Amino acid sequence: MPTILQIRGYRFFFYINDHHPPHIHVEKERSTAKFLLKNAELVKSKRFNASELSEIRKIILENIELFKIKWDERFTNY
């Protein structure tokens, strides 16, 4: 699970065998979520509250170009 970014206790990552559409996973302690990279839309979440999800989405939007570049580097040839 390559970590792309760690910030404010959140770890943003891809799974090695991830799939399209491009997305990013995030975890903090026992909480997890998945967001699409197209528009930072939440796909699913476990144990994050609404405030945390809002903060995560903001972080994703601030770093979306980095996440897209890293996704392309890892999954373009799949």
Side-chain angles (χ1 to χ4, degrees):
M1 296 185 292
T3 298
I4 309 304
L5 178 69
Q6 284 189 284
I7 186 170
R8 294 182 220 150
Y10 299 107
R11 183 172 83 93
F12 295 84
F13 64 95
F14 304 131
Y15 286 104
I16 289 177
N17 61 343
D18 245 329
H19 54 83
H20 285 273
H23 59 276
I24 191 82
H25 297 270
V26 59
E27 66 181 13
K28 183 177 184 179
E29 298 167 3
R30 293 180 44 213
S31 302
T32 63
K34 176 180 170 181
F35 287 80
L36 295 178
L37 291 182
K38 180 178 180 181
N39 54 7
E41 177 185 343
L42 177 64
V43 175
K44 64 181 175 179
S45 172
K46 291 183 183 175
R47 298 186 188 96
F48 281 122
N49 63 40
S51 174
E52 291 170 314
L53 291 170
S54 178
E55 180 180 24
I56 292 166
R57 187 169 190 274
K58 182 179 178 189
I59 294 169
I60 292 171
L61 290 170
E62 290 169 353
N63 294 280
I64 201 155
E65 290 306 315
L66 168 67
F67 295 148
K68 287 178 178 179
I69 288 168
K70 293 298 184 181
W71 176 275
D72 288 344
E73 287 175 0
R74 176 69 179 106
F75 299 107
T76 296
N77 294 325
Y78 269 119

